[in-house]
Amino acid sequence: MGCVFSLPEDRLVAIDRAPTTRETSFIDKMKKMGKNIVVFYGSQTGTAEEFANRLAKDAHRYGMKGMAADPEEYDMSELSRLPEIENSIAIFCMATYGEGDPTDNAQDFYDWLHEGDADFTGVKYTVFALGNKTYEHYNAMGKYVDKRMAELGATRIFDLGMGDDDGNLEEDFVSWREQFWPAVCEHFGVEATGEESRPFDSKNPFLAPVTVNRKLNKAGDRHLMHLELDITGSKIRYESGDHVAVYPINDSNIVNRIGDLLKVDLDTVISLNNLDEESNKKHPFPCPTTYRTALTHYLDVTSSPRTNVLYELAQYATDPKDQENMRKMASSSPEGKALYQSWVLDSCRNILAILEDLPSLRPPIDHLCELLPRLQARYYSIASSSKVHPNSIHICAVVVEYKTKTGRVNKGVATNWLKNKMPTDNGHKATVPMYIRKSQFRLPFKSTNPVIMVGPGTGIAPFMGFVQERKWLKEQGKDVGDTVLYYGCRHKNEDFLYREELEEYEKTGVLTALNVAFSRDQAEKVYVQHLLKKNKEVVWRLVHTDNAHIYICGDARNMARDVQNAFYEIAEELGGMSRTQAVDYIKKLMTKGRYSQDVWS
């Protein structure tokens, strides 16, 4: 089965290899090792290789044996010999790069497929393509291999899968893979052996004990925290740059207040059934349950309700004026939109605030539970490296708390809940339900590539993992390129996060340069983009000459845009480009996986 992955990945320099006596026959190797599944990958930043390894590992659960292979290492004309091995499949995990091109290590294979006229009768394959929908030649490599294998007589045993890095690559892969393996079992008449190594996911999170919860900032009115979650014995694996998803619970004060206003006993046991027969969900959340459990664990009671919720609830307002306003806000009229914007969004009114400010609105709680959206997991960039901390995951976050225009204090659901998760010694450990979401935010495949990291505030999180990993690589005797950090905070003595660790990394040379912008320590505000421009010559040399990878993490609304503009200006000035050429230059770096962003609004 040909699994083809296309991703925007970084172009590596092809090196002429001296001829060696290595084994070029993957068929002989498979026979010798008793393998019947081969997963080829075309990888530039290592993502496609990671997927290939996961598929190869999966095989043992189905009584099969898989191996991952680099097509550059083997004689690919041997594919036609694959039917010599019983119940065999070929999978290709390949990244599409740039304008629909193959990655470097898959170029020869692509050329051979293009020019050759091999006979693949009896060869079984499937293809999973990986790309990015925002590019014109989306998944071109995947689609080509899928089509060409069939043209040469091979049998496709499962549909072409499409992965989109603009959406959620990991989810695309996981859902394809979940359908793919049963299809393989059916094709060969085998059953899963059930040796499932428990990978935790959104439907089955792992309860991780909190081992550390400390305040990071020395002063100021915010609370910035560092948490450590223990994943010992869970078999959870993560890479620097991945996200940890946590399932928070709502503040009991809000839940109780909703119960009071709607005059319901929150501990009533209920089971909500879906009346829509077309729907694939029988219940909106696990039932039977109680109103208290639903409002605490399953429903989002703190974000501003969407217009459709207001429209549905309007019928229960006994004051005609309230009813009219709610319907108006849900309409597409300019004044209705403006009213929704100011009264709901700009005033940050959640469902409780709406019930408090519209005393005539008292909907039945069943209908309210049906209309409210589900409480979603919150994602945090992991602030540790699994090479250094295989059994713990670090989180760095700012506790969200702000005053709204109506004078209320709104609190972030997850950060306030995490803030209170203290490691205790009285036998009862505080736990956090969590799982890992894979990310494309990865250190370069080659440790010799320099990295430029830009992360103000809690945007420092993934870079703590990156720096730990670069230190570990150095300790392994690897040649590690320049590691440069641009970090920004308000005041040097208040919120310079991880200051001691970072200064130590700089002293020992793990960080080649630590550039810190203190925005409020002087009359003129200084931000990370100003420091980038100040060091423009060094920055340009690293990027243009030394193949540096650029990483941006933090606020998407202003910082990420300002930093991108700074890179445009540096390319214009030092690369002698027009603005259009500079924009194109940075866009190409993004396509090659050399300009990565992990940003949030």
Side-chain angles (χ1 to χ4, degrees):
M1 74 191 199
C3 153
V4 178
F5 261 124
S6 337
L7 324 163
E9 292 202 338
D10 169 48
R11 210 64 163 144
L12 301 182
V13 181
I15 299 160
D16 288 333
R17 292 199 179 84
T20 57
T21 53
R22 63 184 165 73
E23 184 168 33
T24 61
S25 168
F26 67 88
I27 295 290
D28 293 352
K29 188 172 176 180
M30 287 172 77
K31 287 180 174 176
K32 206 181 293 172
M33 297 167 71
K35 310 275 188 190
N36 60 341
I37 291 181
V38 58
V39 194
F40 292 106
Y41 57 86
S43 193
Q44 214 89 318
T45 55
T47 311
E49 184 180 11
E50 183 205 329
F51 282 128
N53 283 322
R54 281 161 73 183
L55 286 166
K57 231 181 240 147
D58 281 346
H60 83 274
R61 301 211 304 254
Y62 304 93
M64 303 176 194
K65 282 187 130 185
M67 69 178 233
D70 182 341
E72 202 170 37
E73 305 277 323
Y74 296 101
D75 174 3
M76 295 303 284
S77 67
E78 289 223 319
L79 268 173
S80 52
R81 290 182 56 204
L82 197 61
E84 293 173 18
I85 297 168
E86 200 186 350
N87 286 3
S88 58
I89 310 171
I91 309 179
F92 302 89
C93 288
M94 301 220 183
T96 293
Y97 143 71
E99 304 306 309
D101 302 324
T103 55
D104 288 350
N105 75 318
Q107 185 70 53
D108 291 348
F109 173 52
Y110 172 80
D111 293 341
W112 177 78
L113 268 184
H114 203 65
E115 292 146 19
D117 55 353
D119 179 8
F120 286 163
T121 307
V123 174
K124 311 234 162 94
Y125 80 101
T126 198
V127 174
F128 184 97
L130 250 145
N132 186 313
K133 238 196 220 86
T134 56
Y135 295 110
E136 189 187 342
H137 302 280
Y138 174 49
N139 278 333
M141 183 63 181
K143 291 171 183 169
Y144 177 75
V145 175
D146 180 58
K147 177 171 106 348
R148 191 69 182 132
M149 290 294 289
E151 283 172 2
L152 295 172
T155 307
R156 181 191 294 112
I157 66 161
F158 190 64
D159 300 339
L160 164 71
M162 301 278 262
D164 176 22
D165 191 31
D166 189 45
N168 188 334
L169 201 49
E170 172 73 10
E171 260 172 38
D172 293 339
F173 173 59
V174 169
S175 51
W176 176 84
R177 171 184 167 210
E178 276 175 8
Q179 296 168 302
F180 161 67
W181 283 114
V184 173
C185 291
E186 199 176 320
H187 188 88
F188 292 126
V190 296
E191 278 183 35
T193 55
E195 286 176 46
E196 184 104 32
S197 59
R198 180 64 263 161
F200 293 90
D201 57 25
S202 57
K203 291 190 174 58
N204 176 38
F206 175 69
L207 285 177
V210 176
T211 52
V212 173
N213 183 349
R214 62 185 168 95
K215 188 175 177 186
L216 284 170
N217 48 324
K218 308 272 190 288
D221 52 5
R222 296 182 301 163
H223 183 105
L224 296 129
M225 56 185 172
H226 171 90
L227 271 94
E228 297 183 13
L229 307 179
D230 186 2
I231 54 168
T232 309
S234 66
K235 293 194 175 158
I236 287 173
R237 299 279 169 270
Y238 73 94
E239 295 293 326
S240 306
D242 283 344
H243 298 119
V244 57
V246 307
Y247 278 111
I249 61 173
N250 288 314
D251 182 343
S252 58
N253 294 323
I254 297 179
V255 174
N256 289 334
R257 183 87 180 106
I258 291 174
D260 291 345
L261 287 175
L262 298 184
K263 298 188 167 48
V264 286
D265 174 1
L266 291 175
D267 296 310
T268 308
V269 176
I270 55 156
S271 192
L272 283 188
N273 293 326
N274 198 333
L275 299 175
D276 179 1
E277 289 172 11
E278 298 300 304
S279 175
N280 57 356
K281 272 194 169 162
K282 194 163 185 275
H283 310 286
F285 38 75
C287 290
T289 185
T290 62
Y291 292 124
R292 186 183 305 284
T293 302
L295 291 166
T296 306
H297 294 272
Y298 299 133
L299 298 171
D300 182 350
V301 296
T302 56
S303 50
S304 299
R306 293 185 186 276
T307 53
N308 65 310
V309 176
L310 299 180
Y311 183 80
E312 287 277 333
L313 291 178
Q315 59 182 307
Y316 301 114
T318 51
D319 181 334
K321 191 86 191 111
D322 288 349
Q323 206 173 97
E324 187 194 334
N325 278 335
M326 288 177 77
R327 292 217 167 100
K328 188 189 285 178
M329 284 192 278
S331 74
S332 55
S333 71
E335 55 171 333
K337 284 179 173 170
L339 183 61
Y340 176 72
Q341 183 65 43
S342 65
W343 199 77
V344 179
L345 300 182
D346 297 345
S347 307
C348 305
R349 277 186 170 89
N350 56 28
I351 191 64
L352 173 57
I354 288 172
L355 292 171
E356 286 177 337
D357 293 346
L358 299 178
S360 94
L361 177 67
R362 291 297 175 260
I365 193 163
D366 288 357
H367 200 175
L368 186 69
C369 288
E370 187 192 321
L371 290 171
L372 290 175
R374 289 294 295 266
L375 181 59
Q376 300 297 328
R378 303 311 203 248
Y379 299 100
Y380 297 96
S381 303
I382 296 176
S384 51
S385 160
S386 58
K387 304 278 192 291
V388 184
H389 299 284
N391 291 318
S392 94
I393 283 174
H394 300 182
I395 293 175
C396 165
V398 58
V399 175
V400 177
E401 189 168 315
Y402 58 93
K403 206 165 192 166
T404 72
K405 286 180 176 174
T406 63
R408 294 178 170 91
V409 173
N410 277 7
K411 294 181 174 188
V413 180
T415 51
N416 281 279
W417 171 75
L418 285 170
K419 178 186 172 184
N420 296 315
K421 291 275 176 185
M422 287 297 170
T424 46
D425 295 325
N426 60 4
H428 178 74
K429 273 202 165 15
T431 59
V432 169
M434 52 71 66
Y435 65 95
I436 300 297
R437 179 173 76 176
K438 294 284 176 197
S439 151
Q440 299 312 305
F441 206 67
R442 287 276 182 270
L443 276 170
F445 207 42
K446 289 166 70 174
S447 61
T448 49
N449 281 95
V451 299
I452 299 170
M453 304 170 286
V454 184
T458 54
I460 187 74
F463 302 138
M464 293 306 292
F466 279 12
V467 176
Q468 288 171 14
E469 190 136 329
R470 299 282 269 191
K471 177 177 188 248
W472 179 85
L473 287 163
K474 274 193 151 163
E475 287 164 356
Q476 304 301 305
K478 293 264 195 316
D479 193 2
V480 176
D482 283 5
T483 305
V484 178
L485 175 64
Y486 285 85
Y487 174 63
C489 59
R490 294 178 183 179
H491 301 283
K492 185 172 188 171
N493 295 322
E494 273 187 19
D495 54 356
F496 185 168
L497 307 185
Y498 300 109
R499 179 177 176 176
E500 292 76 14
E501 292 102 309
L502 291 170
E503 287 175 346
E504 182 62 25
Y505 284 137
E506 187 184 33
K507 208 167 80 191
T508 55
V510 172
L511 272 176
T512 318
L514 171 60
N515 308 285
V516 190
F518 303 107
S519 62
R520 303 184 186 181
D521 274 351
Q522 60 287 310
E524 284 282 295
K525 286 198 173 167
V526 177
Y527 295 117
V528 280
Q529 61 269 24
H530 300 137
L531 298 189
L532 281 165
K533 284 192 278 199
K534 192 174 139 196
N535 301 339
K536 60 192 175 194
E537 283 84 5
V538 178
V539 170
W540 183 245
R541 190 200 75 233
L542 287 172
V543 174
H544 193 65
T545 314
D546 301 344
N547 267 333
H549 286 228
I550 301 162
Y551 300 91
I552 321 290
C553 182
D555 159 49
R557 209 169 295 139
N558 304 310
M559 180 277 300
R561 191 191 56 230
D562 294 340
V563 166
Q564 204 161 315
N565 283 327
F567 277 109
Y568 292 157
E569 286 166 32
I570 293 170
E572 282 177 272
E573 194 183 332
L574 297 171
M577 302 177 188
S578 67
R579 173 53 69 121
T580 313
Q581 289 170 320
V583 169
D584 198 46
Y585 181 85
I586 298 299
K587 189 179 164 195
K588 276 212 167 65
L589 291 183
M590 291 176 175
T591 312
K592 296 174 177 180
R594 277 184 51 204
Y595 189 113
S596 307
Q597 304 191 79
D598 180 356
V599 293
W600 54 85
S601 51

